[in-house]
Amino acid sequence: MDITGIAKSHHAGIPKPSSKKEWKLSDSLREQIAEYAREDAAQNVYMGNKFLALRKSEVAKVAPDRAALMGKIDMKEIREADERWLRLLFGEPYEAEFQSGGVHVYDGNGDEVLTYTAGVGWHEKESKTETQVHGALKAAYYDAYHAARQEINHIIPFIERKLFLKVNRKKTGVEHISKAKYLGYSFYRYKGKCRFRVHPKSVTKMKDKIRELTDRNNGMSNAKREEKYQQFVRGLVNYFKLADMKNLLKATDEWARRRIRAVYWKQWKKVKTKYRMLKALGLEHWKAKELACSRKGCWRMAQVLNQIFSNKIITKLGYTSMLDYYLVVCEN
C-alpha cells in the first residue's frame, strides 16, 4: 500500500486539536505534595509511592497520547512520505518529518515527542512542557521534604535529651495541626486557642459502624439492634466528649434515623402490615393506604416517613440520639 492509501484509510481517525489547558501548580496541589513529603520525611523515604503516583498523573495531563499516535500507521508499509501526508496521518496539532528512513513527530509547541527509526522502532521523547511539570513538582516536593526533615532533626533530639522521652521514629511525623491525628482526635485553632474535634478517619469508622448496625440484611433482631446501638452511642460520645462535634452529631443523627426507618419499613413487608402499622402511627385511612401500596424503595420511603415515624418514636424504641446524649455529657 502506498502512502496515499494509508492516509485515506486513516483520515477518519484524525484526532481533534489538543484541548489541554496550561498546567499550573495550584495551592491545593502544593499542599498535597507537602503532606506526602512530610509523611515520607517521617519514614525517612525520599519520593514515596504516593508522590510518584501523583507526579505521574499530573504529567499525564500535559503529555500527548503517544500510544494513539503510534497506532495510527504501520511503519513497515511506508517507504516514501512527505510532511503533508504525515500531518494527515497524525492529525492536528502534530507535525512530522520524514528523514533518512525515520519519522520525527512534533507537538503543537514544536517539541519532538516521538521518533521512529528503522530497525529500532518507536522512541518516546519528553516535551518541554512535561519537563517543566516534572521540575515544578520535584521542586515543591524537595522544599517540603527538606523543611520536614529539619523540623524532625530539631524536635527529636530535644524530646529525647531534654525531656528524656523515647520517640518511635516510625510513627513520628511533622504536619499541620489541622491534619494531625492523636487517639482519634484532631485539632484546630479558634480565637487563639487550640480545640479538639473528631478526626475524619474516626468519622469514617463511626459511619461504617452505624451502617453495620442499621443494615437491613444482617438478620439482627430489633431488641439486639437497639441494645448494640445504645452501647455504641454511649461509648462513642463518652470517648469523644472533649471534641466539638455538635454539628457532626446532628447530621449523623438525621442520617442514622433515616436508616432505622428504612429497616422497619422493610420488616413490615406486606401491604396489610404496612397499612396496620401506619394506622397505629396515627395516619388517616386514605393516606395509610396510599403509602402502604407505594412501590418506592426502602430508602425513599424512609424519607417519606420522616414526620409520621417521628424522632420521639425512634428514641422510645431505644435508639438514643447522639446529639442529645452528647449535650447531657457535656453539661455534666
Side-chain angles (χ1 to χ4, degrees):
M1 181 185 294
D2 59 4
I3 189 67
T4 305
I6 297 172
K8 289 180 179 179
S9 65
H10 289 79
H11 184 71
I14 297 174
K16 295 181 180 179
S18 177
S19 60
K20 292 183 178 179
K21 298 180 181 179
E22 184 180 353
W23 184 87
K24 290 184 180 180
L25 183 59
S26 62
D27 293 338
S28 60
L29 181 58
R30 191 183 294 276
E31 290 178 4
Q32 192 174 6
I33 293 172
E35 182 181 350
Y36 293 160
R38 286 192 291 266
E39 290 179 6
D40 294 342
Q43 299 173 6
N44 201 19
V45 176
Y46 188 70
M47 288 193 183
N49 293 332
K50 288 184 178 180
F51 172 72
L52 294 178
L54 175 66
R55 188 180 68 174
K56 184 178 180 181
S57 64
E58 290 299 320
V59 172
K61 294 177 181 179
V62 298
D65 191 353
R66 293 183 174 88
L69 293 174
M70 289 187 288
K72 285 293 174 186
I73 53 176
D74 184 3
M75 295 304 298
K76 294 180 181 179
E77 299 178 351
I78 295 180
R79 297 292 179 268
E80 295 179 357
D82 56 28
E83 288 187 8
R84 184 165 61 91
W85 293 119
L86 286 173
R87 188 176 292 110
L88 281 174
L89 287 171
F90 291 108
E92 296 181 358
Y94 301 101
E95 296 183 359
E97 292 180 352
F98 190 83
Q99 296 177 355
S100 304
V103 175
H104 304 268
V105 183
Y106 304 89
D107 63 8
N109 298 324
D111 300 328
E112 188 173 0
V113 295
L114 281 173
T115 302
Y116 179 84
T117 307
V120 178
W122 289 105
H123 176 65
E124 299 181 7
K125 293 188 177 181
E126 193 175 78
S127 65
K128 290 182 180 179
T129 307
E130 292 174 273
T131 304
Q132 290 173 358
V133 174
H134 273 297
L137 293 173
K138 286 180 181 178
Y141 179 87
Y142 175 79
D143 292 342
Y145 182 86
H146 183 65
R149 287 304 306 172
Q150 278 189 328
E151 291 178 7
I152 290 175
N153 293 335
H154 282 84
I155 292 172
I156 291 180
F158 173 80
I159 295 174
E160 292 182 336
R161 296 172 188 173
K162 298 291 184 180
L163 303 179
F164 302 103
L165 299 174
K166 189 175 181 181
V167 176
N168 187 336
R169 295 175 184 267
K170 292 183 179 180
K171 296 182 178 180
T172 303
V174 178
E175 55 190 350
H176 193 270
I177 187 173
S178 62
K179 297 180 180 178
K181 181 187 178 186
Y182 183 71
L183 299 177
Y185 284 89
S186 64
F187 314 92
Y188 73 101
R189 294 177 67 87
Y190 180 72
K191 293 184 179 181
K193 295 182 180 180
C194 182
R195 299 183 67 87
F196 298 101
R197 63 183 172 192
V198 185
H199 194 273
K201 289 184 178 179
S202 301
V203 174
T204 303
K205 288 182 179 179
M206 174 186 71
K207 290 187 175 180
D208 288 341
K209 184 63 178 179
I210 293 175
R211 286 190 184 95
E212 179 185 340
L213 293 174
T214 58
D215 186 4
R216 299 191 292 270
N217 302 309
N218 59 10
M220 191 183 300
S221 67
N222 289 334
K224 191 69 175 177
R225 182 183 291 106
E226 291 159 11
E227 180 187 355
K228 286 193 172 184
Y229 191 84
Q230 273 191 0
Q231 292 173 354
F232 169 73
V233 170
R234 290 175 180 176
L236 176 84
V237 172
N238 280 295
Y239 184 83
F240 288 109
K241 62 184 178 182
L242 299 177
D244 299 330
M245 54 177 182
K246 187 184 264 187
N247 292 333
L248 170 65
L249 294 184
K250 181 180 179 182
T252 308
D253 265 339
E254 293 174 358
W255 172 70
R257 282 193 290 260
R258 185 173 177 182
R259 290 186 63 86
I260 292 167
R261 292 185 184 102
V263 168
Y264 280 91
W265 184 259
K266 184 173 182 180
Q267 287 178 356
W268 295 343
K269 288 185 179 180
K270 296 182 179 180
V271 174
K272 61 180 181 181
T273 307
K274 293 175 182 177
Y275 174 80
R276 188 177 70 252
M277 298 305 296
L278 290 172
K279 285 286 290 181
L281 289 171
L283 208 60
E284 296 181 4
H285 164 73
W286 66 272
K287 192 64 178 177
K289 190 174 182 181
E290 179 183 350
L291 292 181
C293 296
S294 175
R295 298 179 64 182
K296 293 182 173 66
C298 296
W299 185 244
R300 178 67 181 89
M301 287 304 300
Q303 189 178 23
V304 176
L305 296 174
N306 190 29
Q307 293 181 348
I308 312 160
F309 203 159
S310 64
N311 300 346
K312 291 182 179 180
I313 296 175
I314 292 177
T315 304
K316 287 180 181 179
L317 288 173
Y319 297 97
T320 306
S321 169
M322 287 185 279
L323 178 60
D324 293 344
Y325 189 69
Y326 171 72
L327 295 176
V328 171
V329 170
C330 287
E331 287 179 0
N332 297 330

